[in-house]
Tab-separated table of all heavy atoms in Angstrom:
chain	number	residue	atom	x	y	z
A	442	GLU	N	-12.003	19.559	-23.819
A	442	GLU	CA	-11.993	20.716	-24.720
A	442	GLU	C	-11.280	21.901	-24.105
A	442	GLU	O	-10.525	22.604	-24.766
A	442	GLU	CB	-13.431	21.092	-25.053
A	442	GLU	CG	-13.517	22.059	-26.204
A	442	GLU	CD	-14.956	22.417	-26.503
A	442	GLU	OE1	-15.689	22.749	-25.552
A	442	GLU	OE2	-15.336	22.353	-27.660
A	443	LYS	N	-11.513	22.107	-22.813
A	443	LYS	CA	-10.929	23.308	-22.222
A	443	LYS	C	-9.417	23.193	-22.049
A	443	LYS	O	-8.749	24.157	-21.734
A	443	LYS	CB	-11.622	23.647	-20.906
A	443	LYS	CG	-11.351	22.733	-19.755
A	443	LYS	CD	-11.988	23.302	-18.499
A	443	LYS	CE	-11.630	22.450	-17.304
A	443	LYS	NZ	-12.696	21.651	-16.825
A	444	LEU	N	-8.893	21.994	-22.253
A	444	LEU	CA	-7.437	21.845	-22.178
A	444	LEU	C	-6.774	21.788	-23.546
A	444	LEU	O	-5.608	21.480	-23.665
A	444	LEU	CB	-7.060	20.605	-21.371
A	444	LEU	CG	-7.185	20.743	-19.875
A	444	LEU	CD1	-6.777	19.452	-19.196
A	444	LEU	CD2	-6.329	21.871	-19.346
A	445	GLY	N	-7.516	22.045	-24.600
A	445	GLY	CA	-6.832	22.115	-25.879
A	445	GLY	C	-7.451	21.274	-26.954
A	445	GLY	O	-8.487	20.652	-26.786
A	449	GLN	N	-2.578	19.203	-28.256
A	449	GLN	CA	-2.822	20.080	-27.129
A	449	GLN	C	-1.789	19.918	-26.031
A	449	GLN	O	-1.039	18.951	-26.020
A	449	GLN	CB	-4.171	19.743	-26.554
A	449	GLN	CG	-4.156	18.336	-25.988
A	449	GLN	CD	-5.536	17.846	-25.688
A	449	GLN	OE1	-6.096	18.267	-24.709
A	449	GLN	NE2	-6.072	16.998	-26.525
A	450	ILE	N	-1.816	20.844	-25.131
A	450	ILE	CA	-1.007	20.674	-23.928
A	450	ILE	C	-1.819	19.807	-22.979
A	450	ILE	O	-2.983	20.061	-22.729
A	450	ILE	CB	-0.680	22.034	-23.313
A	450	ILE	CG1	0.472	22.639	-24.097
A	450	ILE	CG2	-0.324	21.882	-21.852
A	450	ILE	CD1	1.129	23.798	-23.459
A	451	ASN	N	-1.208	18.770	-22.516
A	451	ASN	CA	-1.909	17.834	-21.650
A	451	ASN	C	-2.071	18.414	-20.257
A	451	ASN	O	-3.123	18.366	-19.657
A	451	ASN	CB	-1.104	16.541	-21.598
A	451	ASN	CG	-1.807	15.448	-20.860
A	451	ASN	OD1	-3.012	15.523	-20.640
A	451	ASN	ND2	-1.071	14.448	-20.472
A	452	GLU	N	-1.012	18.972	-19.769
A	452	GLU	CA	-1.066	19.528	-18.420
A	452	GLU	C	-0.309	20.840	-18.411
A	452	GLU	O	0.685	20.984	-19.097
A	452	GLU	CB	-0.385	18.586	-17.429
A	452	GLU	CG	-1.173	17.337	-17.191
A	452	GLU	CD	-0.326	16.279	-16.536
A	452	GLU	OE1	0.658	16.633	-15.884
A	452	GLU	OE2	-0.659	15.109	-16.703
A	453	ALA	N	-0.776	21.762	-17.673
A	453	ALA	CA	-0.037	23.017	-17.547
A	453	ALA	C	-0.097	23.434	-16.088
A	453	ALA	O	-1.033	24.054	-15.645
A	453	ALA	CB	-0.649	24.072	-18.432
A	454	PHE	N	0.867	22.978	-15.353
A	454	PHE	CA	0.928	23.364	-13.945
A	454	PHE	C	2.010	24.407	-13.777
A	454	PHE	O	3.116	24.248	-14.298
A	454	PHE	CB	1.311	22.175	-13.055
A	454	PHE	CG	0.226	21.165	-12.936
A	454	PHE	CD1	0.438	19.856	-13.331
A	454	PHE	CD2	-0.999	21.517	-12.426
A	454	PHE	CE1	-0.556	18.915	-13.229
A	454	PHE	CE2	-1.996	20.578	-12.319
A	454	PHE	CZ	-1.783	19.276	-12.717
A	455	ILE	N	1.723	25.408	-13.089
A	455	ILE	CA	2.744	26.393	-12.757
A	455	ILE	C	2.922	26.302	-11.258
A	455	ILE	O	1.971	26.412	-10.505
A	455	ILE	CB	2.282	27.830	-13.105
A	455	ILE	CG1	1.834	27.912	-14.551
A	455	ILE	CG2	3.366	28.825	-12.803
A	455	ILE	CD1	2.929	27.948	-15.557
A	461	PHE	N	5.227	21.563	-18.224
A	461	PHE	CA	4.437	21.720	-19.434
A	461	PHE	C	4.526	20.392	-20.155
A	461	PHE	O	5.607	19.975	-20.560
A	461	PHE	CB	5.025	22.808	-20.336
A	461	PHE	CG	4.944	24.174	-19.724
A	461	PHE	CD1	6.054	24.756	-19.157
A	461	PHE	CD2	3.748	24.868	-19.729
A	461	PHE	CE1	5.982	26.008	-18.584
A	461	PHE	CE2	3.680	26.123	-19.165
A	461	PHE	CZ	4.799	26.700	-18.586
A	505	MET	N	8.018	26.545	-27.067
A	505	MET	CA	7.471	25.202	-27.313
A	505	MET	C	7.031	25.126	-28.763
A	505	MET	O	6.147	25.851	-29.189
A	505	MET	CB	6.305	24.938	-26.380
A	505	MET	CG	6.740	24.998	-24.929
A	505	MET	SD	5.399	24.598	-23.820
A	505	MET	CE	5.228	22.850	-24.174
A	508	THR	N	3.078	22.947	-31.399
A	508	THR	CA	1.982	22.698	-30.476
A	508	THR	C	0.909	23.758	-30.651
A	508	THR	O	1.208	24.905	-30.955
A	508	THR	CB	2.478	22.664	-29.011
A	508	THR	OG1	1.375	22.409	-28.185
A	508	THR	CG2	3.128	23.961	-28.586
A	509	THR	N	-0.299	23.357	-30.526
A	509	THR	CA	-1.396	24.315	-30.590
A	509	THR	C	-1.879	24.520	-29.172
A	509	THR	O	-2.333	23.586	-28.545
A	509	THR	CB	-2.550	23.748	-31.439
A	509	THR	OG1	-2.009	23.379	-32.684
A	509	THR	CG2	-3.627	24.768	-31.646
A	510	VAL	N	-1.728	25.689	-28.708
A	510	VAL	CA	-2.154	25.943	-27.336
A	510	VAL	C	-3.375	26.825	-27.354
A	510	VAL	O	-3.403	27.867	-27.964
A	510	VAL	CB	-1.038	26.621	-26.540
A	510	VAL	CG1	-1.507	26.941	-25.146
A	510	VAL	CG2	0.158	25.725	-26.508
A	511	GLN	N	-4.347	26.379	-26.686
A	511	GLN	CA	-5.575	27.138	-26.690
A	511	GLN	C	-5.605	28.127	-25.541
A	511	GLN	O	-4.925	27.958	-24.539
A	511	GLN	CB	-6.749	26.177	-26.616
A	511	GLN	CG	-6.670	25.200	-27.767
A	511	GLN	CD	-8.004	24.865	-28.355
A	511	GLN	OE1	-9.028	25.157	-27.784
A	511	GLN	NE2	-7.979	24.269	-29.512
A	512	LYS	N	-6.435	29.103	-25.742
A	512	LYS	CA	-6.535	30.216	-24.796
A	512	LYS	C	-6.741	29.732	-23.354
A	512	LYS	O	-6.134	30.238	-22.419
A	512	LYS	CB	-7.730	31.073	-25.229
A	512	LYS	CG	-7.753	32.457	-24.654
A	512	LYS	CD	-8.878	33.247	-25.302
A	512	LYS	CE	-9.365	34.306	-24.346
A	512	LYS	NZ	-10.786	34.266	-24.123
A	513	GLN	N	-7.573	28.694	-23.237
A	513	GLN	CA	-7.918	28.230	-21.894
A	513	GLN	C	-6.716	27.677	-21.138
A	513	GLN	O	-6.626	27.804	-19.924
A	513	GLN	CB	-9.009	27.148	-21.976
A	513	GLN	CG	-10.353	27.672	-22.395
A	513	GLN	CD	-10.505	27.723	-23.903
A	513	GLN	OE1	-9.536	27.641	-24.655
A	513	GLN	NE2	-11.740	27.879	-24.352
A	514	VAL	N	-5.802	27.039	-21.872
A	514	VAL	CA	-4.608	26.495	-21.221
A	514	VAL	C	-3.756	27.636	-20.690
A	514	VAL	O	-3.254	27.614	-19.576
A	514	VAL	CB	-3.778	25.646	-22.217
A	514	VAL	CG1	-2.492	25.183	-21.573
A	514	VAL	CG2	-4.592	24.485	-22.705
A	515	VAL	N	-3.638	28.650	-21.523
A	515	VAL	CA	-2.874	29.830	-21.143
A	515	VAL	C	-3.491	30.449	-19.886
A	515	VAL	O	-2.809	30.789	-18.919
A	515	VAL	CB	-2.867	30.843	-22.322
A	515	VAL	CG1	-2.267	32.163	-21.890
A	515	VAL	CG2	-2.110	30.255	-23.494
A	516	GLU	N	-4.814	30.521	-19.893
A	516	GLU	CA	-5.507	31.104	-18.732
A	516	GLU	C	-5.256	30.280	-17.481
A	516	GLU	O	-5.023	30.817	-16.399
A	516	GLU	CB	-7.016	31.173	-19.004
A	516	GLU	CG	-7.390	32.360	-19.863
A	516	GLU	CD	-8.850	32.307	-20.289
A	516	GLU	OE1	-9.559	31.365	-19.886
A	516	GLU	OE2	-9.256	33.203	-21.042
A	517	GLU	N	-5.299	28.953	-17.657
A	517	GLU	CA	-5.087	28.068	-16.508
A	517	GLU	C	-3.690	28.269	-15.926
A	517	GLU	O	-3.499	28.342	-14.717
A	517	GLU	CB	-5.287	26.610	-16.952
A	517	GLU	CG	-4.998	25.535	-15.918
A	517	GLU	CD	-5.919	25.601	-14.715
A	517	GLU	OE1	-6.983	26.220	-14.806
A	517	GLU	OE2	-5.527	25.047	-13.654
A	518	ALA	N	-2.717	28.368	-16.828
A	518	ALA	CA	-1.344	28.583	-16.373
A	518	ALA	C	-1.221	29.953	-15.708
A	518	ALA	O	-0.597	30.092	-14.655
A	518	ALA	CB	-0.395	28.476	-17.553
A	519	ALA	N	-1.845	30.961	-16.298
A	519	ALA	CA	-1.761	32.325	-15.753
A	519	ALA	C	-2.385	32.397	-14.356
A	519	ALA	O	-1.918	33.110	-13.481
A	519	ALA	CB	-2.461	33.289	-16.692
A	520	ARG	N	-3.437	31.605	-14.172
A	520	ARG	CA	-4.140	31.578	-12.894
A	520	ARG	C	-3.229	31.089	-11.761
A	520	ARG	O	-3.398	31.436	-10.612
A	520	ARG	CB	-5.351	30.637	-13.030
A	520	ARG	CG	-6.535	30.995	-12.172
A	520	ARG	CD	-7.753	30.197	-12.597
A	520	ARG	NE	-7.522	28.755	-12.625
A	520	ARG	CZ	-7.533	27.983	-11.550
A	520	ARG	NH1	-7.749	28.495	-10.372
A	520	ARG	NH2	-7.320	26.691	-11.682
A	521	GLN	N	-2.261	30.251	-12.138
A	521	GLN	CA	-1.429	29.625	-11.100
A	521	GLN	C	-0.066	30.293	-10.936
A	521	GLN	O	0.790	29.784	-10.231
A	521	GLN	CB	-1.218	28.152	-11.448
A	521	GLN	CG	-2.518	27.378	-11.471
A	521	GLN	CD	-2.240	25.897	-11.676
A	521	GLN	OE1	-1.329	25.343	-11.094
A	521	GLN	NE2	-3.029	25.268	-12.508
A	522	ILE	N	0.149	31.410	-11.589
A	522	ILE	CA	1.460	32.041	-11.580
A	522	ILE	C	1.943	32.392	-10.171
A	522	ILE	O	3.129	32.328	-9.881
A	522	ILE	CB	1.480	33.299	-12.494
A	522	ILE	CG1	2.874	33.943	-12.543
A	522	ILE	CG2	0.437	34.320	-12.095
A	522	ILE	CD1	3.934	33.044	-13.096
A	530	SER	N	5.138	37.934	-13.381
A	530	SER	CA	4.029	37.722	-14.318
A	530	SER	C	4.371	36.605	-15.306
A	530	SER	O	5.519	36.161	-15.386
A	530	SER	CB	3.741	39.013	-15.092
A	530	SER	OG	4.864	39.331	-15.891
A	531	ILE	N	3.360	36.191	-16.054
A	531	ILE	CA	3.569	35.196	-17.110
A	531	ILE	C	2.914	35.743	-18.382
A	531	ILE	O	1.834	36.324	-18.333
A	531	ILE	CB	3.009	33.811	-16.701
A	531	ILE	CG1	3.357	32.760	-17.757
A	531	ILE	CG2	1.518	33.840	-16.443
A	531	ILE	CD1	3.194	31.333	-17.261
A	532	ASN	N	3.607	35.619	-19.481
A	532	ASN	CA	3.086	36.146	-20.751
A	532	ASN	C	3.204	35.071	-21.826
A	532	ASN	O	4.141	34.270	-21.809
A	532	ASN	CB	3.903	37.359	-21.190
A	532	ASN	CG	3.768	38.490	-20.205
A	532	ASN	OD1	2.860	39.280	-20.274
A	532	ASN	ND2	4.673	38.533	-19.237
A	533	PHE	N	2.274	35.108	-22.739
A	533	PHE	CA	2.281	34.112	-23.812
A	533	PHE	C	2.209	34.811	-25.165
A	533	PHE	O	1.491	35.796	-25.311
A	533	PHE	CB	1.056	33.196	-23.707
A	533	PHE	CG	0.932	32.523	-22.375
A	533	PHE	CD1	0.262	33.140	-21.332
A	533	PHE	CD2	1.489	31.284	-22.158
A	533	PHE	CE1	0.147	32.531	-20.100
A	533	PHE	CE2	1.372	30.666	-20.929
A	533	PHE	CZ	0.706	31.291	-19.895
A	534	THR	N	2.924	34.290	-26.120
A	534	THR	CA	2.837	34.867	-27.460
A	534	THR	C	3.219	33.822	-28.507
A	534	THR	O	3.790	32.779	-28.161
A	534	THR	CB	3.746	36.115	-27.573
A	534	THR	OG1	3.639	36.653	-28.893
A	534	THR	CG2	5.198	35.788	-27.285
A	535	GLU	N	2.900	34.110	-29.727
A	535	GLU	CA	3.294	33.214	-30.816
A	535	GLU	C	4.772	33.392	-31.116
A	535	GLU	O	5.306	34.489	-30.944
A	535	GLU	CB	2.538	33.592	-32.097
A	535	GLU	CG	1.323	32.777	-32.356
A	535	GLU	CD	0.587	33.259	-33.599
A	535	GLU	OE1	1.237	33.781	-34.523
A	535	GLU	OE2	-0.638	33.122	-33.613
A	541	THR	N	4.030	27.588	-32.720
A	541	THR	CA	5.063	27.742	-31.686
A	541	THR	C	4.531	28.684	-30.606
A	541	THR	O	4.052	29.771	-30.908
A	541	THR	CB	6.354	28.319	-32.291
A	541	THR	OG1	6.816	27.423	-33.277
A	541	THR	CG2	7.425	28.500	-31.220
A	542	LEU	N	4.617	28.220	-29.399
A	542	LEU	CA	4.173	29.045	-28.277
A	542	LEU	C	5.407	29.533	-27.533
A	542	LEU	O	6.328	28.760	-27.276
A	542	LEU	CB	3.316	28.201	-27.329
A	542	LEU	CG	2.956	28.878	-26.003
A	542	LEU	CD1	1.864	29.909	-26.193
A	542	LEU	CD2	2.527	27.856	-24.978
A	543	VAL	N	5.425	30.811	-27.201
A	543	VAL	CA	6.535	31.327	-26.404
A	543	VAL	C	5.965	31.845	-25.079
A	543	VAL	O	5.017	32.624	-25.069
A	543	VAL	CB	7.294	32.452	-27.141
A	543	VAL	CG1	8.558	32.820	-26.361
A	543	VAL	CG2	7.651	32.021	-28.548
A	544	ILE	N	6.538	31.331	-24.020
A	544	ILE	CA	6.064	31.706	-22.689
A	544	ILE	C	7.159	32.519	-22.014
A	544	ILE	O	8.338	32.144	-22.065
A	544	ILE	CB	5.773	30.439	-21.846
A	544	ILE	CG1	4.749	29.549	-22.558
A	544	ILE	CG2	5.289	30.797	-20.451
A	544	ILE	CD1	4.721	28.119	-22.039
A	545	TYR	N	6.784	33.609	-21.394
A	545	TYR	CA	7.758	34.397	-20.628
A	545	TYR	C	7.337	34.423	-19.169
A	545	TYR	O	6.224	34.828	-18.843
A	545	TYR	CB	7.826	35.836	-21.152
A	545	TYR	CG	8.452	35.922	-22.520
A	545	TYR	CD1	7.660	36.036	-23.651
A	545	TYR	CD2	9.836	35.872	-22.661
A	545	TYR	CE1	8.227	36.090	-24.909
A	545	TYR	CE2	10.413	35.920	-23.924
A	545	TYR	CZ	9.601	36.028	-25.051
A	545	TYR	OH	10.164	36.062	-26.281
A	546	LEU	N	8.246	33.986	-18.317
A	546	LEU	CA	8.042	34.116	-16.878
A	546	LEU	C	8.969	35.248	-16.441
A	546	LEU	O	10.176	35.194	-16.697
A	546	LEU	CB	8.433	32.826	-16.155
A	546	LEU	CG	7.412	31.698	-16.155
A	546	LEU	CD1	8.078	30.388	-15.756
A	546	LEU	CD2	6.294	31.995	-15.173
Side-chain angles (χ1 to χ4, degrees):
Chain A
E442 193 180 48
K443 71 174 185 253
L444 283 180
Q449 65 193 284
I450 280 194
N451 187 17
E452 289 164 24
F454 289 121
I455 306 283
F461 294 102
M505 299 183 70
T508 181
T509 306
V510 177
Q511 303 218 347
K512 198 173 152 233
Q513 290 86 344
V514 175
V515 171
E516 280 172 2
E517 175 63 19
R520 211 168 54 80
Q521 298 186 42
I522 182 61
S530 64
I531 185 164
N532 296 274
F533 304 88
T534 180
E535 263 177 30
T541 300
L542 171 76
V543 188
I544 303 162
Y545 291 100
L546 279 164

